[in-house]
Amino acid sequence: MKKYLAEFFGTFWLVFGGCGSAIFAAAFPELGIGFVGVAFAFGLTVLTMAYAVGHISGGHFNPAVSVGLLVGGRFDKKDFVPYVIAQVIGAIAAAAVLYLIASGKAGFDATASGFASNGYGEHSPNGYSLVSALVAEIVLTAFFLIILGATDERAPKGFAPIAIGLGLTLIHLISIPITNTSVNPARSTGVAIFQGTWALEQLWLFWVAPIVGAIIGAIIYKVMGCTCGCCKSAK
């Protein structure tokens, strides 16, 4: 149960900090943090919670990461469904708190504002197509599986959260204009529920693409990181 609670709170913080920065601070008059600030906010949420509770649950905070670690042989399959449930509930809870806070401002409308939801086509921040969104989310999630390398027993100890947090920051710097950046089905689900219209209709892509990307990333790392006798001989 401690592991599942850690995943709940970790995902809650990711959505509250990352999406909250997009909702409240990205375009704040004159002092807005913009895309760069939002990108760093997402990276910092993962970095801080990886240090805070990563030793309890492994610090997934993302169903796609759980899929990748499962494929990569780093995760017990009996924990997979409870982890995903905890992550999705954490994301929804964070989105609910964000909605409650945002509703305190006159004129707030989650449907019209988008509520930091992910989208493609007319709902992409810069008008990118479904194909563009699909490719971007697959490729970027595959590279986000640097988690496998950063947490490998052969990697430098104690630095994994920094590599993962900075990796997520870079991913957001690339793709906020394309999809508003998902690479995380739980993050997409939480805010889509409160946006309530087009975000729910397009949510399928932000489950399918990150999961496909995570599987690809895990397979690539398994090949590159293999330490069996045959692989050592080939090297």
Side-chain angles (χ1 to χ4, degrees):
M1 184 58 67
K2 289 180 180 180
K3 294 186 294 186
Y4 309 146
L5 285 173
E7 286 297 304
F8 170 88
F9 285 114
T11 312
F12 181 101
W13 185 235
L14 185 151
V15 174
F16 188 82
C19 293
S21 69
I23 293 167
F24 301 123
F28 189 80
E30 298 181 11
L31 297 176
I33 62 175
F35 285 176
V36 174
V38 173
F40 272 98
F42 272 100
L44 288 171
T45 60
V46 170
L47 188 155
T48 53
M49 290 308 290
Y51 274 122
V53 301
H55 59 286
I56 299 173
S57 69
H60 299 193
F61 318 142
N62 181 340
V65 169
S66 295
V67 169
L69 294 176
L70 183 64
V71 173
R74 299 277 196 85
F75 186 43
D76 192 333
K77 62 183 179 181
K78 71 178 176 60
D79 284 326
F80 177 72
V81 172
Y83 264 51
V84 172
I85 291 172
Q87 291 156 2
V88 172
I89 293 174
I92 294 171
V97 176
L98 290 173
Y99 186 86
L100 179 63
I101 296 170
S103 298
K105 181 178 179 180
F108 168 73
D109 185 342
T111 301
S113 69
F115 203 59
S117 296
N118 303 113
Y120 55 83
E122 64 178 306
H123 302 299
S124 157
N126 207 25
Y128 286 89
S129 69
L130 183 156
V131 173
S132 295
L134 189 66
V135 172
E137 291 287 331
I138 289 174
V139 171
L140 291 169
T141 310
F143 273 91
F144 190 42
L145 265 292
I146 56 169
I147 290 170
L148 285 167
T151 58
D152 193 294
E153 61 182 9
R154 295 165 291 172
K157 305 302 180 185
F159 293 98
I162 297 173
I164 295 166
L166 290 177
L168 188 60
T169 299
L170 176 58
I171 286 168
H172 279 78
L173 289 172
I174 295 167
S175 61
I176 287 177
I178 304 171
T179 62
N180 218 17
T181 310
S182 173
V183 301
N184 185 335
R187 169 259 190 270
S188 298
T189 300
V191 290
I193 289 172
F194 290 89
Q195 196 284 328
T197 55
W198 59 261
L200 288 172
E201 295 168 4
Q202 297 189 350
L203 182 60
W204 67 270
L205 185 144
F206 302 104
W207 274 86
V208 172
I211 288 173
V212 171
I215 292 171
I216 292 171
I219 292 172
I220 291 172
Y221 189 76
K222 283 186 75 174
V223 173
M224 292 177 60
C226 180
T227 57
C228 71
C230 295
C231 291
K232 289 180 178 179
S233 297
K235 291 176 182 177

